[in-house]
Amino acid sequence: MHELSITKSMLDLVLDQAQKNGAEKVQGITLVIGEMSGVVDDCVRFYFDFLSKGTIAEGAHISVKIMPAQARCRECGKQFKLNGLDWLCPSCGTTQINIVEGKELYLESIEVP
Ligand SMILES: [Zn+2]
């Protein structure tokens, strides 16, 4: 459960950005969370609601975009979508793959009035 510290830094970033833009209220935020990041979006929402109380981000709507996991085969270079625990290259059958997408975790945008 590392969502608490992640959400805390996310909120700090939101407040920082809002302040730089002279906003007095944050209406919503959009987060990008990779399937492989190990971060549970419901936990982030829960902690965000909790941590943002009393700040200008209180009550902000949280949109989450989940990025599907993508891998690239180290043998043949094929890029494919990872399906659960099936980590075989669909083209040549090797397990020599690199995760190229799906570990993302970032703040994509902030909505201010
Ligand atoms: Zn391959």
Side-chain angles (χ1 to χ4, degrees):
M1 290 297 278
H2 53 312
E3 277 87 355
L4 181 58
S5 56
I6 289 169
T7 311
K8 176 88 175 65
S9 9
M10 203 75 89
L11 177 64
D12 286 346
L13 186 64
V14 168
L15 295 177
D16 191 53
Q17 291 290 321
Q19 203 170 32
K20 277 183 191 152
N21 288 299
E24 286 168 10
K25 181 85 192 138
V26 176
Q27 286 176 323
I29 60 169
T30 303
L31 302 178
V32 175
I33 299 179
E35 233 174 34
M36 304 291 292
S37 67
V39 173
V40 180
D41 60 326
D42 280 348
C43 290
V44 174
R45 287 175 201 273
F46 175 80
Y47 286 131
F48 193 91
D49 282 348
F50 174 72
L51 293 167
S52 63
K53 282 198 169 46
T55 73
I56 60 168
E58 183 173 352
H61 175 74
I62 304 167
S63 308
V64 175
K65 290 184 185 173
I66 304 288
M67 293 289 284
Q70 294 271 349
R72 185 181 289 121
C73 177
R74 273 191 260 170
E75 299 291 326
C76 70
K78 184 174 174 58
Q79 190 160 324
F80 57 98
K81 193 177 176 302
L82 277 181
N83 254 326
L85 294 173
D86 189 11
W87 284 36
L88 292 179
C89 170
S91 173
C92 68
T94 180
T95 51
Q96 300 298 305
I97 58 164
N98 289 333
I99 308 288
V100 289
E101 260 175 43
K103 289 182 175 174
E104 300 82 351
L105 177 67
Y106 59 88
L107 182 66
E108 190 183 67
S109 60
I110 303 176
E111 281 169 55
V112 292

